[in-house]
Amino acid sequence: MCGINGFNFNNPELILRMNRVIQHRGPDQTDFWCGENISLGHDRLSIIDLSERGSQPMWDEKKEFAIVFNGEIYNFLELRKDLENKYNFCSQSDTEVILYAYREWGNECVKKFNGIFAFAIWDCLKNELFIARDRMGVKPLYYYHDGKRFVFSSEIKALLEHNIPREVNREAFNLYFQLLYIPEPNTMFQGIKKLPAASYLELGHEGELKITKYWQVNDFTNYGSYDETKQTIKKLFRDSIKRQLISDRPVGVFLSGGIDSSAILGAVNEFHGGKVKTFSVGFKDSQDSEKFNADFFLAKKTAAYYNTDHHELLIEPEDIKNNIEKIVWHLDEPNFNPTSGAIFLLSKLAKEKVAVVLGGDGGDELFGGYPLYYYSYIISLFQKMPRVLRYLVKCGIEVAGKDGLAEKLSLPPDAERVAAFLAQKNNFLTRVLNKDIYKPDLALQHINEKYFNGTRPMDDFEKQFMNFDRQSWLVDESLVRTDKMTMAFGLEERVPILDYRLVELASRIPTKWKLNILQSPKNFQGKAIWRKAVRDYLPEHILNEQKRGWFTPMAKWIRKELKDTVADVLSPRNLNSEYFNAIGVKKVWEDHLSGERYNLNIIWAMVMWQLWYNRFMK
């Protein structure tokens, strides 16, 4: 795992500056190469083939192609066997396999890779640049193109070494506050874009740019056999773990205490020689220790069960206060999620022991782990009932005081239902955002145009819902947050549940196999078939645990220990009056302080945006 940089002109001093800005991603070595119409830079985090032969930029033996690569190709040994009879390899690295795969299969090479990657290949013969990003979007790639200059990097801050106008992207601003993430290809910087997941970019010799989607999930037909599907899940999961343990440096596991990371640890334990190093984070002196540290305590029990070399970190408000500026800088863009600080500090600890960690990302989106899928499934079943029965059920829900659910019962199976569950309320945002800036319908328009426009709703709508989450917030909020926080310390995180073969399989599993409709919402677990498939890797104390989100005590901390910090950021003298309504912000802040309302998400979203603006725009 590394950092990559480049642009379409020759400037050694500028490419070195870009390298220096993101050297935290690759602390082991930095290097560059400049040609007539290209500059390529690389910061190396050595994971496979630690020798000088694995250094980058790397050339093929004919000196016709040069590559800079960030990521890991887990099936590189199989691909190498296919290529060895035609090409002479001089390293043991997966980077060289990409290089010769491109020589052999051209753009189609990306379809052969099982891995996480962002790489750029310069074709000296054609004076053309080829850039690709992995199927799931685990590794980020940003670029700027003004028709003449083309600049790319693993992180936005390196692009800013160029004379790029610093302007807020107002569309991204609206989407951030409505969805609490910034959907690709937008970034919060006007003119700077993300290369979408599962896409490659071609830059021609005259500066023409073309982006192609090379993979997407299209097959949602239901599997017929429950038992065969369950066995296939376990087989693919086990194979993914085995592949992703490949490394010439120590590998550990981020152990949250939930089903997914526990299953990963159980499978790793099967293949790993010696004690597995595990890492967990909790919250110190929390008033509600059981609520915020429930998974932390479970992780401790799971670590003891597998006899791991377990490392724990307890963080407190002062840790967030002391590191918030660093977190903002490493994130590149505003991120509303208060768990960023916990991941940041845990990554610092983990890097002292290992160079690679495996994490449990993706299980909820693939196998139905979020309660919102359960509620949407209830709505879908309700809408298929006879009219009289629907009337009686709705009356019962209203009598029970569940007016919010009753209102959602009529939501159609399309973008409107997704937005109703995921988007922030319009009347709430109207209070805090300036009316000249706020575009209230933008989130719904975005969801509809990108994911639903022109497509007939599936009979099993919750499949569509999960697929939306996997392509959207998982990539643009969760995975990018984890990448920036881990790579801040040159720590590589791998995500075995997001092996693309498991993603394709999960899309064909009926929702009724994932969600137990007989459970009450209070006892919601989700991921029913996933739990059974990985049963052999789960300790008994994990099996019947209900689904919990990973919460921090931030809502309480900003009422007490971090109150002055947040109040200062949101004060009229510091808050950007062009974008925010100071009176509305004050009311939202005071309502949270008094306990009248839980406003953490919008408050932390504003705090992180304003700190981002101060750091990158002022």
Side-chain angles (χ1 to χ4, degrees):
M1 209 65 72
C2 310
I4 63 174
N5 299 301
F7 43 85
N8 62 341
F9 53 94
N10 186 316
N11 190 322
E13 190 273 335
L14 190 49
I15 195 68
L16 271 175
R17 273 169 40 199
M18 292 180 75
N19 279 4
R20 279 195 292 270
V21 169
I22 62 167
Q23 197 161 1
H24 49 270
R25 296 185 70 92
D28 298 327
Q29 185 182 25
T30 188
D31 207 347
F32 72 97
W33 170 78
C34 295
E36 183 179 352
N37 297 307
I38 190 70
S39 296
L40 296 176
H42 188 259
D43 292 309
R44 186 183 183 194
L45 173 61
S46 306
I47 300 295
I48 295 174
D49 190 348
L50 309 184
S51 72
E52 283 293 321
R53 294 188 300 274
S55 299
Q56 301 178 45
M58 182 181 287
W59 290 87
D60 69 317
E61 63 176 341
K62 293 183 179 180
K63 300 287 185 182
E64 294 174 346
F65 298 95
I67 184 173
V68 285
F69 162 51
N70 167 32
E72 304 293 344
I73 306 299
Y74 304 127
N75 63 335
F76 81 98
L77 292 175
E78 298 101 295
L79 292 173
R80 179 173 174 136
K81 288 180 181 177
D82 295 337
L83 295 164
E84 279 180 328
N85 61 336
K86 292 187 68 173
Y87 303 103
N88 295 318
F89 286 81
C90 60
S91 77
Q92 300 300 314
S93 71
D94 50 350
T95 309
E96 194 173 16
V97 170
I98 299 174
L99 203 51
Y100 286 117
Y102 181 76
R103 279 202 70 111
E104 181 68 14
W105 298 300
N107 298 356
E108 293 293 299
C109 69
V110 291
K111 297 179 181 179
K112 296 182 177 291
F113 301 144
N114 182 334
I116 53 177
F117 57 81
F119 65 81
I121 294 178
W122 176 250
D123 185 333
C124 291
L125 302 178
K126 296 180 180 178
N127 278 333
E128 293 180 352
L129 187 67
F130 177 80
I131 300 178
R133 191 174 176 205
D134 66 78
R135 290 174 173 87
M136 296 302 114
V138 177
K139 303 317 297 176
L141 196 288
Y142 301 93
Y143 69 92
Y144 173 81
H145 185 231
D146 62 9
K148 293 183 179 179
R149 281 186 303 168
F150 178 82
V151 189
F152 71 89
S153 178
S154 299
E155 297 191 8
I156 292 173
K157 61 181 68 67
L159 301 181
L160 299 178
E161 290 299 302
H162 293 252
N163 186 25
I164 293 173
R166 299 198 187 195
E167 299 176 16
V168 175
N169 180 336
R170 291 194 174 186
E171 180 178 344
F173 176 87
N174 271 277
L175 290 172
Y176 170 67
F177 280 100
Q178 290 175 49
L179 295 173
L180 298 179
Y181 67 91
I182 304 167
E184 58 82 3
N186 287 297
T187 72
M188 196 59 78
F189 297 82
Q190 185 67 39
I192 296 177
K193 296 183 178 180
K194 304 166 190 165
L195 178 64
S199 299
Y200 61 75
L201 178 155
E202 299 167 278
L203 184 72
H205 64 280
E206 294 184 357
E208 64 276 20
L209 187 151
K210 179 183 178 184
I211 294 176
T212 303
K213 189 87 169 176
Y214 67 82
W215 177 87
Q216 60 185 358
V217 175
N218 292 315
D219 189 356
F220 294 92
T221 57
N222 285 339
Y223 284 114
S225 170
Y226 181 94
D227 288 337
E228 286 182 15
T229 303
K230 185 179 69 173
Q231 291 304 316
T232 305
I233 292 172
K234 182 178 180 181
K235 178 182 177 183
L236 289 179
F237 174 63
R238 188 174 180 273
D239 183 66
S240 177
I241 293 290
K242 186 177 181 181
R243 288 176 182 275
Q244 296 195 27
L245 284 173
I246 188 168
S247 174
D248 293 330
R249 294 179 72 179
V251 179
V253 174
F254 273 169
L255 186 61
S256 71
I259 289 286
D260 301 330
S261 65
S262 298
I264 287 170
L265 173 58
V268 166
N269 199 61
E270 182 179 338
F271 299 108
H272 193 278
K275 280 192 172 186
V276 181
K277 295 185 187 305
T278 51
F279 305 90
S280 297
V281 62
F283 305 100
K284 195 173 182 180
D285 297 327
S286 170
Q287 291 180 343
D288 194 349
S289 183
E290 186 60 37
K291 176 181 177 180
F292 296 110
N293 286 327
D295 281 348
F296 179 74
F297 298 142
L298 282 173
K300 183 190 288 285
K301 290 179 68 174
T302 303
Y305 178 88
Y306 280 112
N307 191 29
T308 71
D309 181 9
H310 193 49
H311 303 270
E312 296 178 336
L313 177 68
L314 287 170
I315 64 175
E316 52 191 334
E318 198 70 16
D319 296 319
I320 301 300
K321 183 178 179 180
N322 292 339
N323 288 280
I324 189 67
E325 295 288 349
K326 294 177 185 176
I327 292 166
V328 168
W329 187 78
H330 279 288
L331 282 169
D332 272 341
E333 297 185 88
N335 185 288
F336 92 101
N337 200 319
T339 63
S340 295
I343 300 171
F344 180 80
L345 294 166
L346 185 64
S347 298
K348 182 179 181 181
L349 170 67
K351 180 61 177 182
E352 297 171 2
K353 309 294 181 181
V354 297
V356 179
V357 290
L358 271 57
D361 310 64
D364 292 316
E365 292 79 8
L366 266 58
F367 297 104
Y370 295 129
L372 59 89
Y373 304 140
Y374 172 89
Y375 287 115
S376 179
Y377 194 42
I378 293 290
I379 293 170
S380 295
L381 293 176
F382 171 83
Q383 292 177 356
K384 295 173 184 176
M385 292 177 181
R387 182 178 297 178
V388 173
L389 190 54
R390 291 204 304 270
Y391 174 77
L392 294 174
V393 170
K394 188 172 183 180
C395 288
I397 291 174
E398 289 173 345
V399 169
K402 303 291 185 181
D403 294 338
L405 179 58
E407 289 176 6
K408 289 184 170 70
L409 288 174
S410 60
L411 287 170
D414 58 19
E416 187 180 343
R417 189 187 297 181
V418 171
F421 276 105
L422 298 180
Q424 301 300 293
K425 302 303 180 188
N426 178 36
N427 59 357
F428 195 56
L429 293 179
T430 302
R431 300 168 75 184
V432 298
L433 304 182
N434 274 347
K435 62 180 181 179
D436 295 336
I437 299 290
Y438 182 41
K439 307 296 181 187
D441 297 326
L442 198 59
L444 179 60
Q445 290 173 8
H446 165 78
I447 295 169
N448 187 50
E449 290 172 6
K450 186 158 186 177
Y451 297 99
F452 291 93
N453 196 21
T455 62
R456 186 178 67 85
M458 296 181 190
D459 292 334
D460 187 342
F461 172 74
E462 285 62 51
K463 279 188 181 183
Q464 211 163 352
F465 205 157
M466 293 176 211
N467 195 50
F468 164 81
D469 275 351
R470 178 192 60 79
Q471 295 178 83
S472 56
W473 101 274
L474 177 66
V475 180
D476 292 322
E477 195 283 316
S478 181
L479 291 177
V480 73
R481 167 170 42 87
T482 299
D483 173 84
K484 298 295 178 60
M485 296 297 88
T486 54
M487 291 303 287
F489 300 98
L491 177 71
E492 173 185 311
E493 191 200 43
R494 299 175 180 178
V495 285
I497 297 175
L498 286 174
D499 185 301
Y500 78 92
R501 298 168 300 167
L502 275 169
V503 174
E504 291 175 341
L505 181 146
S507 71
R508 298 187 59 194
I509 298 174
T511 297
K512 64 183 179 182
W513 293 357
K514 298 178 181 179
L515 303 177
N516 184 352
I517 202 65
L518 298 178
Q519 288 176 329
S520 71
K522 290 183 178 180
N523 297 319
F524 175 78
Q525 288 184 321
K527 298 186 281 194
I529 191 171
W530 169 250
R531 289 169 182 265
K532 292 186 177 180
V534 298
R535 169 66 183 85
D536 292 344
Y537 297 129
L538 297 174
E540 203 68 36
H541 64 267
I542 291 290
L543 283 175
N544 295 316
E545 286 291 323
Q546 68 185 75
K547 171 66 180 176
R548 277 186 300 270
W550 184 31
F551 298 110
T552 75
M554 188 63 74
K556 293 185 176 183
W557 287 354
I558 66 174
R559 290 187 180 114
K560 295 183 177 180
E561 296 92 341
L562 296 178
K563 176 183 174 181
D564 291 343
T565 300
V566 172
D568 183 59
V569 175
L570 299 183
S571 67
R573 74 175 184 278
N574 287 328
L575 198 64
N576 189 309
S577 60
E578 181 183 356
Y579 291 91
F580 299 103
N581 180 342
I583 296 174
V585 171
K586 181 181 179 182
K587 173 63 174 163
V588 167
W589 173 228
E590 289 175 346
D591 285 351
H592 184 85
L593 285 178
S594 68
E596 184 176 331
R597 289 194 58 160
Y598 177 91
N599 291 332
L600 174 64
N601 286 347
I602 190 66
I603 289 171
W604 202 246
M606 290 190 294
V607 167
M608 294 299 281
W609 191 92
Q610 187 61 51
L611 290 175
W612 165 84
Y613 185 89
N614 295 346
R615 180 63 181 82
F616 288 98
M617 289 292 170
K618 279 192 173 180

